[in-house]
Amino acid sequence: MKAVQFDEYGDVEVLEVREVARPEPEADQVLVSVRAASINPSEGAIRTGRVREIFPATFPSGQGSDLAGVVEEVGSGVTSVAVGDEVIGFTNNRASQAEYVLVESVNLTPKPAGVPWEVAGALFVSGVTGFATVRAVAPTASVALVIAGAGGGVGIFSVQLAVRTGALVIALASERHHNWLRERGAVPVAYGDGVAGRITAAAEGLPVDAFIDLVGGGYVELALELGIDKDRIDTIVDFPAIAKYGVKGEGGAAAASATTLAELAEAVEVGDLVVPIQRTFPLEDVRAAFTELEAGHMAGKIVLIP
């Protein structure tokens, strides 16, 4: 089978698509034939070694957590899925960017018929992270929530899930994302000097009660400047601010479960959650996929199709 691997830290040039042995499922494991696997900035950070002190790579290293596919084989003790089932899931073993992947059976949920493969394969990393950030700050109706980085891969989930709570969602994002964010029910606000005043104006008299930081670089301080309680501030990137101010740091790990995936998939199927797919690439073009991802200017998810 083909799988993405790399033998050393580096830029996209270290990525290779190799022929490797197809794994065999052991007890409580499932072999999934992958139909779609999203790529994420965190995978690039691991590959370059930028986060090696927190998330070191063991070489040769595979890549990928997100996946959607069809059950190929099941190990002993597996009763929750059967061969031929269409599933959405995740692996913690950096291995989903491949034709086949082993998955713990508890990490799988049925793929609803109305969810396209490329969307199903893009739900885990960004989706559960967005889910966790909204849950961490617990917005409610009649208050305003600010999301910095609202147009990014996680932001598109955080915004839509927050809108569903009834809160007024103030979405800090580049101008190119404003129309899409407005269509999703958020109030877009531009970055830059004077942003605190623009946030207050956008709140239209509602208390600015919560803040999600998906960017870093001073947005926790901005939230505190706005008078938001530290227990209603969540950042997934500014780890020094977590230590310094005692704000929350809840990200994907806090909500990583098949149950969360099932909730996200259901929301997609009924039209309450839109996952824009910027582009799909064949597995063999993984270098091109990450080159586009790392160039920035994202307007949605990039997905590999084995």
Side-chain angles (χ1 to χ4, degrees), residues 75-223:
S76 62
V78 174
T79 58
S80 55
V81 297
V83 172
D85 286 355
E86 296 183 350
V87 293
I88 306 172
F90 63 96
T91 173
N92 294 317
N93 297 324
R94 302 178 189 171
S96 68
Q97 292 167 22
E99 291 181 316
Y100 296 91
V101 61
L102 282 181
V103 185
E104 303 301 314
S105 61
V106 295
N107 294 342
L108 294 171
T109 191
K111 184 187 84 68
V115 179
W117 282 116
E118 63 271 21
V119 172
L123 285 181
F124 176 64
V125 170
S126 295
V128 301
T129 302
F131 184 98
T133 62
V134 174
R135 186 175 65 184
V137 300
T140 59
S142 302
V143 302
L145 159 69
V146 182
I147 301 176
V154 174
I156 60 177
F157 287 94
S158 296
V159 165
Q160 295 179 83
L161 295 171
V163 167
R164 293 175 70 189
T165 69
L168 174 67
V169 178
I170 299 172
L172 302 187
S174 301
E175 296 278 356
R176 63 182 177 276
H177 299 302
H178 283 194
N179 284 340
W180 189 88
L181 291 165
R182 194 175 289 111
E183 290 171 356
R184 303 274 71 79
V187 179
V189 167
Y191 294 119
D193 292 343
V195 66
R198 291 194 294 278
I199 289 170
T200 301
E204 297 184 340
L206 292 177
V208 182
D209 186 67
F211 200 109
I212 295 171
D213 169 33
L214 308 174
V215 180
Y219 282 100
V220 169
E221 285 80 3
L222 172 62

